[in-house]
Amino acid sequence: MDELEELYQEIVLEHNRKPRNFRKMDDPTCTSHGFNPFCGDTITLYMTLDEDVVTDVSFEAAGCAISKASASLMTQAVKGRTVDEAQATFGKFHNLVTNGANGGEDDESLGDLVVLAGVRSFPTRIKCATLSWHALRGALEGEETVSTE
Amino acid sequence: MISKTAKALDVQALRADFPILERVVNGKPLVYLDNAATTQKPRSVIQSLVDYYENYNANVHRGVHTLSMEATDMTEAARKRVADFINAPEPETVIWTRNATEGMNIVAHSWGRGNIEPGDEIVTTPMEHHSNLVPWQEIASERGASLRFIPLSDDGTLDLSDLDAIITERTKLLAFTHASNSLGTINPAKLLTEKAHAVGATVLVDGAQSVPHMPVDVEDIGCDFLSFSGHKMMGPTGIGALYAKRELLEGMEPFLTGGEMVLQVSYEKASWADLPWKFEAGTPNIADSIGMGAAVDYLSALGMENVREHEKRITEYALERFKEIEEVDVFGPEDPELRGGVVSFHNEDVHPHDLGTFLDQQGIAVRTGHHCTMPLMSKLGVVATARASFYVYNTEQEIDALVDGIKGALRYFGNGLA
């Protein structure tokens, strides 16, 4: 079960069981609703911005372990970052889950997000990992709903 | 009702007819439990395709050469066997389609456009596959008609207590699935058809999940249309059949026009060919129609009573074993007489997609998701379910592997210990 363990690393299972920043936000600066039509997973992402800094981010979601853990890890990764940094992180993360870890600088800058590199071996699950990031980008770019398709 | 003449099939022997069942997936023998999505093919079906392409590949009809005549004879013989399989009175009442969905769309466009009037009602059920819902939404909105639904009981059967208030003189069409791909529920097709006919409505039965699994007799049910797919009954993908009563087909305009479906053509106009070709524009799917005929031969040799009996037994066994896993909710009727070989289930803590990936690592193929029944999923209060669906080659050992796999997944995702 090597591939399975690489996909569901302990940190992924733990974030699935206890997702961080899993709550509705009362007065968000922006919000976006993400939908994965392939599996029906949904997420609502809330963000508070101070100028161009993400001061708070939270989500509510119904989805698989990968999508929930990825959303949880994403909130930790972007909180306190600038909008540009958050967008750049999405780019690196997308590369990670489609091409795998490369052991370089990008991996290092992704921090805990690298635990999702195992998704690469499960092509049908890549969109589970990127759903929350699509919602993040949707919120930043003023799209109320986004889809992974 | 299962005939008393049903006899136990030698499942181990018939498994040898399916080359794919030898496959190893992720290091484990394949346990294929996704038969409601598509079924595996016996060697005779695969060979029928090879035979066609190697020995008599030619376009059908109009040809005077030997190969064309052989291909025409074979596809028409296959049509006759499919017609006999559902007890259609004559082969001309069976139209080749791509799949059950296309059959539904032919009825919606060719019959619906000509018959559904503003104010009419189309009655259906909450358990329809999108293929027997979306075409009616489209036609209803185009024609100014409305949709009504026979309600669902908690046990996943239709609640027929108020049927007379739902199927009324305003009903123009009753369209329902004979067997649900999500719940497994077998609907009382004959009773529903009689109710609809009593008010003058037309009846379409979605047979995608019934024709492959149990004896289906259109004369006995009395339905006006029956649509089903070849690939869900051991045949190739890309071929299906639509049965319709002759008088209805004669009154319908063709869905597609062009070659093969015309009698006479001038630069200004055309007249239509006889049934069934009026509905088969263009070069048909010759190879796969012959393959569907081979699938019908295989199933007929097994005997559909025996197929149904085996699936009922396997389903009963599965439902019994699922009772061991308290954390898992199973949808659909408990009585195996009222359900086909489909078991949809759900657990609060393990998402169906995680379960599906976990089981796949053990070689077990199940379907996870909304099963093309999104409104039903939301009615059940879930986003998605996992679904195991059985066929005549599935064994009790495979059910055991599934149940062990689910238990393993609950441990794995529940507390992190594999």
Side-chain angles (χ1 to χ4, degrees):
Chain A
M1 283 219 171
D2 289 349
E3 280 192 344
L4 196 69
E5 270 157 30
E6 198 171 324
L7 177 66
Y8 295 110
Q9 296 201 20
E10 188 47 44
I11 191 162
V12 172
L13 293 173
E14 203 268 332
H15 273 263
N16 174 46
R17 276 182 225 117
K18 288 185 208 139
R20 318 296 194 272
N21 302 305
F22 190 84
R23 60 186 153 81
K24 190 172 183 284
M25 195 182 290
D26 282 338
D27 246 334
T29 314
C30 52
T31 173
S32 183
H33 182 73
F35 178 56
N36 181 349
F38 170 71
C39 57
D41 284 1
T42 58
I43 182 170
T44 306
L45 189 89
Y46 308 95
M47 265 201 291
T48 304
L49 299 175
D50 182 4
E51 306 243 306
D52 70 336
V53 175
V54 181
T55 53
D56 195 14
V57 54
S58 71
F59 73 104
E60 293 177 297
C64 65
I66 302 300
S67 74
K68 229 193 256 180
S70 178
S72 173
L73 288 159
M74 183 269 283
T75 61
Q76 292 188 320
V78 302
K79 207 186 266 192
R81 301 294 186 92
T82 66
V83 169
D84 286 349
E85 284 168 342
Q87 293 270 29
T89 307
F90 182 18
K92 289 179 199 166
F93 179 73
H94 197 271
N95 192 41
L96 174 85
V97 293
T98 47
N99 299 317
N102 59 21
E105 257 174 52
D106 282 357
D107 291 358
E108 215 164 291
S109 69
L110 285 170
D112 276 354
L113 291 170
V114 291
V115 299
L116 287 161
V119 172
R120 178 182 175 247
S121 310
F122 297 82
T124 57
R125 308 300 300 277
I126 289 171
K127 284 171 180 168
C128 307
T130 55
L131 175 63
S132 56
W133 289 92
H134 284 286
L136 175 89
R137 192 160 65 187
L140 290 173
E141 294 175 2
E143 288 179 56
E144 276 175 24
T145 59
V146 292
S147 157
T148 53
E149 295 304 306
Chain B
M1 198 50 97
I2 299 304
S3 149
K4 289 198 177 69
T5 59
K7 63 176 194 299
L9 296 167
D10 184 348
V11 174
Q12 286 309 329
L14 74 85
R15 283 178 70 86
D17 296 333
F18 294 79
I20 209 169
L21 297 181
E22 296 290 312
R23 246 204 89 163
V24 168
V25 172
N26 293 318
K28 300 282 170 58
L30 169 66
V31 174
Y32 186 76
L33 301 177
D34 194 17
N35 293 288
T38 198
T39 57
Q40 300 304 343
K41 323 303 176 198
R43 202 170 275 107
S44 59
V45 167
I46 299 165
Q47 196 54 45
S48 73
L49 303 177
V50 174
D51 278 350
Y52 167 71
Y53 285 119
E54 286 189 351
N55 296 312
Y56 60 99
N57 173 56
N59 210 334
V60 289
H61 310 304
R62 301 181 315 269
V64 293
H65 62 81
T66 301
L67 264 50
S68 176
M69 287 187 286
E70 285 177 4
T72 304
D73 288 349
M74 287 296 277
T75 185
E76 291 307 328
R79 189 198 307 274
K80 170 84 168 72
R81 297 211 291 287
V82 171
D84 289 345
F85 189 66
I86 55 166
N87 198 29
E90 43 184 352
E92 294 77 20
T93 57
V94 171
I95 312 294
W96 291 126
T97 60
R98 276 190 305 150
N99 45 40
T101 299
E102 185 171 287
M104 255 75 93
N105 276 275
I106 291 173
V107 178
H109 290 271
S110 291
W111 180 87
R113 286 223 173 98
N115 290 278
I116 292 176
E117 306 288 342
D120 282 349
E121 291 178 351
I122 299 167
V123 175
T124 183
T125 84
M127 65 175 91
E128 296 309 312
H129 188 279
H130 296 161
S131 62
N132 199 26
L133 173 62
V134 180
W136 308 122
Q137 291 173 341
E138 291 295 299
I139 285 293
S141 110
E142 183 185 313
R143 304 291 304 159
S146 55
L147 291 184
R148 294 195 69 181
F149 295 86
I150 302 169
L152 202 59
S153 305
D154 288 342
D155 68 352
T157 59
L158 291 176
D159 175 358
L160 304 178
S161 58
D162 220 9
L163 201 57
D164 291 338
I166 297 162
I167 298 175
T168 69
E169 71 284 354
R170 286 188 301 280
T171 309
K172 186 56 75 73
L173 175 74
L174 170 67
F176 65 94
T177 188
H178 195 180
S180 159
N181 75 313
S182 287
L183 299 169
T185 314
I186 298 171
N187 288 317
K190 189 174 181 174
L191 180 146
L192 290 168
T193 300
E194 283 167 358
K195 284 278 181 196
H197 282 170
V199 296
T202 298
V203 175
L204 177 145
V205 176
D206 172 2
Q209 300 292 344
S210 62
V211 174
H213 300 283
M214 63 189 80
V216 173
D217 179 335
V218 291
E219 295 267 83
D220 179 55
I221 295 170
C223 57
D224 301 291
F225 298 104
L226 174 78
S227 188
F228 52 105
S229 291
H231 72 98
K232 291 188 199 286
M233 50 191 286
M234 303 185 180
T237 51
I239 189 75
L242 171 68
Y243 157 79
K245 285 184 178 160
R246 174 178 275 277
E247 56 271 28
L248 288 168
L249 288 175
E250 284 175 343
M252 285 158 57
E253 288 299 308
F255 181 41
L256 297 174
T257 54
E260 298 260 5
M261 54 74 65
V262 283
L263 194 60
Q264 283 198 310
V265 183
S266 67
Y267 281 114
E268 290 76 30
K269 59 184 181 6
S271 59
W272 310 144
D274 288 339
L275 295 177
W277 305 295
K278 174 174 130 183
F279 291 96
E280 295 177 357
T283 297
N285 187 348
I286 305 161
D288 295 321
S289 68
I290 292 164
M292 188 165 174
V296 161
D297 288 346
Y298 188 90
L299 285 166
S300 301
L302 294 180
M304 290 310 290
E305 292 87 2
N306 304 326
V307 171
R308 168 69 180 134
E309 188 60 29
H310 173 75
E311 286 182 33
K312 207 176 70 169
R313 207 173 295 140
I314 280 283
T315 307
E316 201 165 5
Y317 182 74
L319 291 174
E320 202 52 43
R321 294 255 15 220
F322 265 84
K323 286 184 185 154
E324 289 169 27
I325 329 172
E326 278 175 18
E327 306 92 319
V328 165
D329 297 320
V330 173
F331 300 106
E334 280 182 36
D335 181 354
E337 290 290 346
L338 299 180
R339 80 187 286 157
V342 170
V343 179
S344 276
F345 54 97
H346 184 260
N347 168 269
E348 201 51 49
D349 299 324
V350 183
H351 190 278
H353 274 99
D354 297 318
L355 178 64
T357 295
F358 186 92
L359 293 175
D360 180 54
Q361 290 298 304
Q362 301 175 33
I364 303 169
V366 297
R367 185 131 305 239
T368 56
H370 50 63
H371 318 299
C372 290
T373 54
M374 283 195 212
L376 177 65
M377 293 293 121
S378 82
K379 207 174 176 63
L380 297 173
V382 296
V383 175
T385 73
R387 179 189 72 188
S389 53
F390 316 127
Y391 211 7
V392 68
Y393 37 68
N394 289 125
T395 65
E396 292 188 354
Q397 290 76 18
E398 290 181 310
I399 307 289
D400 293 340
L402 171 68
V403 170
D404 289 348
I406 297 168
K407 287 179 178 173
L410 291 175
R411 284 195 299 275
Y412 188 84
F413 292 101
N415 59 22
L417 301 171

